Amino acid sequence: MLGAIAGDIIGSIYERNNIKTTEFPLFQPSCRFTDDTVLTVALADSILNGIPYVDLLKRYYRAYPHAGYGGSFHKWAQSKGTEPYNSWGNGSAMRVSPVGLAYETLETVLEEAKKSAEVTHNHPEGIKGAQAIASAVFLARTGQSHEQIKNYVEAEFGYHLDTPLDEIRKTYVFQISCQESVPQAIRAFLESTDFEDAVRRAISIGGDSDTIACMAGAIAEAREGGIPAPIRRKVYEILDESLCRTTREFVRKYSRS
């Protein structure tokens, strides 16, 4: 979860100003948390306290209405209804990392990832993207190798993960769909050597940088059993008190480091 938040914060300044290199300052004064972080913490809160996902997604939106949500989520969160809006966007995948960390079997992770997605993203691609990231997080934290994670995701979800980032980077542009951002995030993880490297690689391809780094960072954190202490401290400095409190509580309960 902290890995997802760190990726979001580090990538936040590059979403609209893409950078096609891994060489950049890790944190800059204008780095901030976005909707990726807010909704990740909302799911963590749901898991911690047994509150329905839909209730806390709306509650967290009201607490942070200017965090940078997509237009469809804005409309849904502001409405009185709770029906999903058939989205295939990557919002379902960027917020799902707490699911991959909290549950003890892959079957349960897949079930909960589906539940967390379909309150808004009930399109098959929206559900698939959430399940792919959540299962990759689970497999990483339970000791599966890069190759095992790659083989599982390709076989289970039909994503193609062979294209090197050096090739993706040449032509990649802003994409909001799960099918055009989840595989790229997983590829960034697969090529990485450590947590920071995964985030740098994810941001370097361009596109929806904070969200791609959020997803790649979530898997890398699970593999490493945590994130480097300097990055962790910086994340907690940037989060406000409420987000910080829930994040710390979730990390204390579910950290495997």
Side-chain angles (χ1 to χ4, degrees):
M1 176 183 177
L2 270 176
I5 294 171
D8 173 45
I9 291 172
I10 295 166
S12 62
I13 62 172
Y14 300 113
E15 180 181 14
R16 300 299 178 185
N17 298 283
N18 286 172
I19 184 169
K20 297 279 186 167
T21 177
T22 58
E23 299 297 323
F24 54 85
L26 202 59
F27 288 98
Q28 298 196 48
S30 53
C31 284
R32 62 184 182 89
F33 65 82
T34 78
D35 59 318
D36 299 36
T37 290
V38 172
L39 300 183
T40 295
V41 178
L43 258 62
D45 197 344
S46 291
I47 293 168
L48 283 167
N49 295 294
I51 302 171
Y53 296 121
V54 64
D55 293 350
L56 286 190
L57 289 174
K58 289 207 168 206
R59 185 185 303 175
Y60 272 71
Y61 170 84
R62 291 193 295 270
Y64 302 93
H66 306 298
Y69 311 91
S72 295
F73 187 88
H74 264 299
K75 292 178 183 177
W76 175 84
Q78 291 173 351
S79 72
K80 294 181 179 179
T82 59
E83 291 299 310
Y85 50 91
N86 200 38
S87 177
W88 36 253
N90 56 25
S92 60
M94 57 77 166
R95 70 194 187 206
V96 79
S97 60
V99 171
L101 295 170
Y103 296 101
E104 295 303 322
T105 68
L106 181 56
E107 181 181 25
T108 305
V109 166
L110 292 171
E111 179 183 350
E112 287 299 320
K114 180 176 185 289
K115 289 178 181 177
S116 76
E118 64 188 3
V119 294
T120 52
H121 294 58
N122 58 324
H123 188 283
E125 292 292 345
I127 294 170
K128 183 170 81 171
Q131 289 182 317
I133 294 297
S135 62
V137 168
F138 175 84
L139 294 171
R141 77 167 171 87
T142 54
Q144 301 301 298
S145 69
H146 285 64
E147 191 66 19
Q148 288 171 315
I149 294 169
K150 177 179 181 292
N151 290 342
Y152 175 82
V153 171
E154 287 184 324
E156 186 71 18
F157 303 108
Y159 290 141
H160 300 291
L161 302 175
D162 287 326
T163 306
L165 291 184
D166 285 346
E167 291 299 314
I168 294 171
R169 193 178 292 112
K170 292 176 182 178
T171 58
Y172 193 70
V173 295
F174 194 94
Q175 303 280 354
I176 63 167
S177 70
C178 279
Q179 51 269 44
E180 294 295 338
S181 59
V182 169
Q184 289 77 8
I186 297 174
R187 181 68 199 187
F189 159 75
L190 292 173
E191 290 192 20
S192 68
T193 57
D194 56 31
F195 174 79
E196 182 177 330
D197 187 46
V199 170
R200 288 185 179 279
R201 288 177 184 272
I203 291 170
S204 77
I205 69 170
D208 192 2
S209 298
D210 58 333
T211 298
I212 296 171
C214 176
M215 295 185 287
I219 308 170
E221 175 201 8
R223 176 192 60 194
E224 300 293 329
I227 67 175
I231 298 177
R232 183 175 66 247
R233 287 194 295 269
K234 189 65 176 177
V235 165
Y236 282 131
E237 287 176 12
I238 292 172
L239 294 180
D240 69 12
E241 182 179 354
S242 177
L243 295 174
C244 193
R245 182 172 58 251
T246 300
T247 299
R248 287 186 187 277
E249 183 181 354
F250 187 91
V251 170
R252 280 195 298 270
K253 184 168 184 178
Y254 295 109
S255 174
R256 269 78 179 178
S257 61

